[in-house]
Amino acid sequence: AQSVTQPDIHITVSEGASLELRCNYSYGATPYLFWYVQSPGQGLQLLLKYFSGDTLVQGIKGFEAEFKRSQSSFNLRKPSVHWSDAAEYFCAADRDDKIIFGKGTRLHILP
Amino acid sequence: DVKVTQSSRYLVKRTGEKVFLECVQDMDHENMFWYRQDPGLGLRLIYFSYDVKMKEKGDIPEGYSVSREKKERFSLILESASTNQTSMYLCASSLAHRTAYEQYFGPGTRLTVT
C-alpha cells in the first residue's frame, strides 16, 4: 500500500542549529512530493514541492529538500533555524490523483 | 494569492445537532477537499470534489456528507454530531483534476461536540 512515513514525531533543536526532517515514501512509481508547514492554530502552507528534474529543491523561508530515489526519501533541511520555525511539518506524496500526508513532525526550538 | 476561507475558526455543538462547515475558495480551483486533523493521526481525507455537484468519498466518510452547489463553495455536513467528531477540520483546494497541483488550505475550524 502507498504510504508516507515521517519517523520523528518530535524534534528539538537549538536556535541557529541546522535541521533535517526525514520523510520516506512507499509507492510503485515515484510520486510528486511536497512539504507543508503548519503554525499553531493555522492551516497548512506549502514550503516546497518536487515533480521532476533537479533533486535538490529550494523552498520558502530558507528551506530545501533533497529527493533520493534510491532511498525513497525526501528530507527537509534548513542550515540555521529561527525561533519562528517552531511548527508542525508534514510531508506529502501525490500519485494517481491521491495525496497522502505523513503524520507530521513537530519541531521545537530551544533559545 | 489563493485564499481559502472557512466559516468559523471555533465551533461548539451539542451531540445530535446537525452541523454545517463552510469553505470558500476564490481562485476558480476545480478540486476541493475536507480533512480532519487529530493528534498523532495526521490529516485524514473525509471527502473531496472535482467539480460542481460531484463528490467522492475519502478515507473516513462515515458520519459526514458534503455539498458542492457552486464551484467556489464546498460544505461539510455532520448529520448528527457525535463526541468522536470533535476535531480540527481543514478545507483545501487545488487547481485541476488529474494533475499534481499543490493544495491550498484554509485556517481550519476547531469543532467541539459536547
Side-chain angles (χ1 to χ4, degrees), chain A residues 26-78:
Chain A
S26 175
Y27 275 75
T30 300
Y32 304 110
L33 295 161
F34 308 87
W35 275 100
Y36 289 84
V37 61
Q38 185 180 32
S39 298
Q42 302 297 317
L44 277 69
Q45 180 185 18
L46 181 72
L47 283 175
L48 47 78
K49 60 189 178 187
Y50 172 76
F51 285 3
S52 64
D54 193 346
T55 57
L56 188 61
V57 180
Q58 301 299 318
I60 63 171
K61 306 183 185 215
F63 286 92
E64 65 179 25
E66 186 171 12
F67 168 66
K68 291 186 177 179
R69 185 188 305 274
S70 61
Q71 298 177 19
S72 298
S73 70
F74 188 56
N75 294 349
L76 183 71
R77 301 195 295 244
K78 187 170 185 179

Side-chain angles (χ1 to χ4, degrees), chain A residues 9 31-34 36 38 40-46 48-49 51 88 90 94-104 106, chain B residues 9-10 31 33 35 37 40-43 45 48 50 58-59 88 90 96-108 110:
Chain A
I9 299 173
Y32 304 110
L33 295 161
F34 308 87
Y36 289 84
Q38 185 180 32
Q42 302 297 317
L44 277 69
Q45 180 185 18
L46 181 72
L48 47 78
K49 60 189 178 187
F51 285 3
E88 190 156 22
F90 292 91
D94 187 343
R95 186 80 192 179
D96 302 325
D97 259 353
K98 184 176 171 72
I99 190 166
I100 297 175
F101 287 86
K103 289 186 167 42
R106 186 167 294 279
Chain B
R9 293 299 302 273
Y10 300 93
N31 304 336
F33 307 83
Y35 296 90
Q37 182 181 17
L41 298 179
L43 275 72
L45 182 63
F48 58 101
Y50 291 138
D59 299 318
M88 170 73 98
L90 293 170
H97 189 32
R98 301 217 176 275
T99 47
Y101 289 102
E102 63 266 29
Q103 295 187 11
Y104 294 84
F105 284 82
R110 186 166 293 283

Side-chain angles (χ1 to χ4, degrees), chain B residues 21-106:
Chain B
L21 303 183
E22 303 285 340
C23 175
V24 177
Q25 50 93 4
D26 66 358
M27 283 300 290
D28 203 35
H29 282 179
E30 289 186 7
N31 304 336
M32 296 188 76
F33 307 83
W34 275 107
Y35 296 90
R36 65 175 283 176
Q37 182 181 17
D38 301 286
L41 298 179
L43 275 72
R44 292 181 290 168
L45 182 63
I46 304 172
Y47 269 97
F48 58 101
S49 169
Y50 291 138
D51 202 352
V52 175
K53 297 192 185 295
M54 179 273 178
K55 60 186 177 184
E56 293 276 352
K57 292 180 179 179
D59 299 318
I60 53 163
E62 295 79 19
Y64 304 93
S65 62
V66 290
S67 172
R68 195 167 180 198
E69 296 296 319
K70 294 185 178 181
K71 190 174 186 179
E72 68 270 19
R73 188 180 298 269
F74 191 36
S75 302
L76 179 70
I77 303 155
L78 287 66
E79 295 289 342
S80 177
S82 64
T83 55
N84 63 12
Q85 293 178 309
T86 292
S87 186
M88 170 73 98
Y89 289 88
L90 293 170
C91 176
S93 71
S94 67
L95 184 58
H97 189 32
R98 301 217 176 275
T99 47
Y101 289 102
E102 63 266 29
Q103 295 187 11
Y104 294 84
F105 284 82

